[in-house]
């Protein structure tokens, strides 16, 4: 029982450190671009329009699908009034199981910010774990 209480306390504490993990606070893309280290490995919510949408070919022998192929992975840029950021969508284990993002679609993305430490520019990317379509 003490481990359950400790575990729950740690989870709630972790969520309190990242206010956007609980609420629907939409973060401006410029804030992430200005201080990527502040958002490294954190869950954020951003919104905007999809641009430069690119479908990725199926990947084979991945851990994600128990060695099987991954379908419907995408890369695109998300633009808001403050800037743009690259977004990656991991895809699924079944072809056609998810609705792909299309050019100029209005979206709200929840995902994890990752800035590659080996990249001299340190440009962050968001790896989406939830995509909401926003109606105009």
């Amino acid at each position: 029982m003490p481990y359950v209480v400790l575990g729950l306390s740690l989870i709630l504490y972790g969520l309190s450190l990242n206010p956007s993990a609980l609420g629907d606070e939409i973060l401006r893309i410029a804030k992430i671009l200005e201080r990527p280290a502040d958002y490294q490995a954190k869950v954020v919510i951003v919104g905007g329009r999809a641009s430069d949408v690119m479908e990725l070919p199926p990947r084979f022998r991945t851990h994600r699908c128990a060695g099987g192929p991954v379908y419907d992975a995408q890369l695109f840029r998300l633009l808001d009034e403050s800037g743009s950021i690259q977004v990656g969508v991991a895809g699924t284990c079944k072809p056609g199981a998810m609705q792909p993002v299309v050019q100029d679609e209005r979206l709200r993305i929840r995902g994890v910010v990752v800035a590659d430490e080996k990249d001299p520019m340190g440009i962050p990317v968001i790896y989406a774990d939830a995509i909401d379509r926003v109606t105009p």
Side-chain angles (χ1 to χ4, degrees), residues 29-118:
I29 292 171
K31 288 185 86 170
I32 298 169
L33 298 175
E34 289 167 5
R35 302 187 57 97
D38 291 352
Y39 297 97
Q40 176 73 0
K42 296 217 168 77
V43 175
V44 298
I45 298 173
V46 292
R49 279 194 194 279
S51 171
D52 303 326
V53 178
M54 181 176 27
E55 304 284 329
L56 299 176
R59 295 184 318 263
F60 296 91
R61 293 186 290 275
T62 63
H63 294 292
R64 179 177 182 157
C65 294
V70 174
Y71 301 94
D72 301 327
Q74 291 183 296
L75 287 176
F76 60 91
R77 296 205 69 71
L78 189 71
L79 292 81
D80 72 5
E81 68 283 346
S82 70
S84 72
I85 193 165
Q86 186 83 34
V87 177
V89 180
T92 63
C93 299
K94 289 176 59 176
M98 63 179 275
Q99 180 183 2
V101 170
V102 296
Q103 186 72 19
D104 292 325
E105 188 172 25
R106 292 183 52 85
L107 306 167
R108 186 170 55 192
I109 306 288
R110 187 186 77 205
V112 177
V113 176
V114 177
D116 186 359
E117 297 169 353
K118 295 177 183 140

